[in-house]
Amino acid sequence: MPEYEQADLAFPTRSLPPLAQEDQWHAPDGWRLRRLTIPPLPGVPCRGRLLFVPGRGDIFEKHLEFFAEMQARGWHVTSFDWRGQGGSGRLGLDATTGHIEDFSVWIDDLSAFWADWFRPGEGPHVLAGHSMGGHLALRAVAEHKVNPDALILSAPMLGFFAPGLPVWLQHVYACLMAKLGDSRRPAWKGGEKPGSTTALRMHLLTHDQRRHEDELWWRAQRPDLGTGAASWRWMERAVASRKALFAPGVLEGVTIPVLLISTSADHLVSHAAVLAAARRLPHAQLIALGRESRHEVLREVDAVRAPLLAAIHAFLDERAPQSLTQTLDAQV
């Protein structure tokens, strides 16, 4: 794997940001979730609190660059690995398969984590999610399980990339496959993404080779964090959760500001589903990308990524402004 000088980067990606702390958070049933907490830098006024929830098979190390950038602007950043993946244990038949009995388990974890994480007077409180994390974040808001001031969704998994295969047929197929054997068995062979070779995997995720290699470096350093293919039960529950989220009136009931970032070149999640959700959400702002970006929009090349970061900051400044109390405290 080619090496590069971390010192040349504004925000090193192969080390934790300054002041970052890794520990474990206990869910109400005792399950331990791996947590990362990154307070603002000394001397930087606190802008607010940001909770970031990653995608299926992700580990929070993949997003350290984004976290460090938000920290530098005064955000108190927190993230965690979902139950059953990364450093938060496993639920499947083996040490790698990503399995869940129902997405409501994750919604309950997020709700309890949010209640413990929320700090009155330290807002705004912002929830951000990538891919599956975006799906779960939006659903938790729609079900009134969390109450952020704003929501940021990065390539949210609001449907699968399955051209010509309607959602109802996806669900029938997933139900059938889950019933043909143990529903905890993997739905495909290989890694956490459909496609086992490094070249194909990168083709699905990002144009940026250096950022892709950063993830591979972390996985080599911490091999116990790797998650493999999803189970058939996960597949079936994912489609069922998508159907529930798109039921009449559900998205229309989300009254907070929502920023959605999606790309038509995504071959993992459905860009069309994100566009449909944006039309139904009352206060949605959509950034629709094209061939310049693959699935991991926040881990793309700088030419794509820099305008996205500027748009995120502008969205937060307008839709989740710093509170008057915080502004006055910073001036004292």
Side-chain angles (χ1 to χ4, degrees):
M1 181 186 304
E3 291 294 336
Y4 61 93
E5 291 296 328
Q6 286 278 304
D8 293 342
L9 301 176
F11 300 99
T13 51
R14 298 188 184 184
S15 61
L16 298 180
L19 308 179
Q21 179 181 352
E22 295 179 85
D23 62 6
Q24 293 182 330
W25 177 83
H26 291 76
D29 66 353
W31 195 277
R32 293 179 296 180
L33 304 185
R34 190 175 69 121
R35 173 174 60 182
L36 179 68
T37 303
I38 309 172
L41 295 170
V44 179
C46 184
R47 172 66 177 81
R49 295 174 67 85
L50 174 74
L51 175 59
F52 182 96
V53 287
R56 201 210 73 78
D58 274 358
I59 52 176
F60 54 60
E61 285 86 349
K62 287 180 60 173
H63 306 281
L64 293 176
E65 186 176 15
F66 177 67
F67 297 164
E69 288 161 336
M70 299 304 287
Q71 178 197 41
R73 295 181 70 94
W75 288 93
H76 184 292
V77 181
T78 306
S79 186
F80 64 83
D81 290 344
W82 293 108
R83 178 187 299 236
Q85 66 178 46
S88 297
R90 295 293 180 272
L91 297 164
L93 287 173
D94 51 48
T96 60
T97 302
H99 173 75
I100 197 72
E101 281 299 311
D102 192 78
F103 275 34
S104 63
V105 175
W106 284 327
I107 298 296
D108 289 343
D109 281 347
L110 177 55
S111 176
F113 191 99
W114 179 274
D116 186 60
W117 171 83
F118 188 90
R119 297 289 184 272
E122 295 185 12
H125 293 77
V126 176
L127 179 59
H130 172 68
S131 197
M132 184 189 79
H135 173 113
L136 294 168
L138 180 57
R139 184 175 153 186
V141 170
E143 295 180 2
H144 308 289
K145 297 294 184 67
V146 296
N147 59 335
D149 295 296
L151 184 60
I152 300 171
L153 306 179
S154 160
M157 189 193 77
L158 303 185
F160 293 135
F161 177 77
L165 194 63
V167 174
W168 70 266
L169 190 54
Q170 293 177 33
H171 199 201
V172 169
Y173 180 72
C175 285
L176 177 62
M177 293 302 295
K179 291 178 179 178
L180 285 178
D182 194 318
S183 64
R184 294 171 295 172
R185 73 190 191 282
W188 63 82
K189 295 181 179 180
E192 86 283 9
K193 309 290 182 186
S196 57
T197 68
T198 299
L200 178 56
R201 188 177 182 280
M202 179 175 165
H203 182 76
L204 291 169
L205 299 181
T206 177
H207 292 89
D208 193 295
Q209 183 173 353
R210 191 265 300 170
R211 288 187 171 99
H212 184 66
E213 290 172 351
D214 285 340
E215 178 192 356
L216 300 181
W217 184 88
W218 277 107
R219 290 179 181 276
Q221 300 302 307
R222 301 178 171 185
D224 56 316
L225 301 181
T227 307
S231 70
W232 276 112
R233 177 67 175 179
W234 183 97
M235 296 291 292
E236 186 273 323
R237 288 291 84 194
V239 182
S241 184
R242 187 268 185 206
K243 291 171 66 177
L245 190 55
F246 276 80
V250 175
L251 294 175
E252 288 78 3
V254 176
T255 58
I256 64 169
V258 182
L259 176 64
L260 302 103
I261 307 171
S262 183
T263 171
S264 61
D266 201 321
H267 284 187
L268 288 173
V269 305
S270 171
H271 178 62
V274 178
L275 300 183
R279 290 192 292 268
R280 291 178 53 184
L281 290 164
H283 304 289
Q285 178 179 329
L286 173 67
I287 300 177
L289 304 172
R291 294 168 58 186
E292 71 274 17
S293 179
R294 292 169 180 163
H295 178 62
E296 293 185 342
V297 295
L298 294 179
R299 301 182 70 247
E300 262 296 349
V301 295
D302 289 342
V304 173
R305 196 171 177 276
L308 289 182
L309 290 174
I312 288 172
H313 297 317
F315 169 79
L316 292 174
D317 288 343
E318 178 183 356
R319 309 304 292 273
Q322 189 174 23
S323 69
L324 178 61
T325 301
Q326 286 179 281
T327 303
L328 293 175
D329 289 345
Q331 294 173 348
V332 173

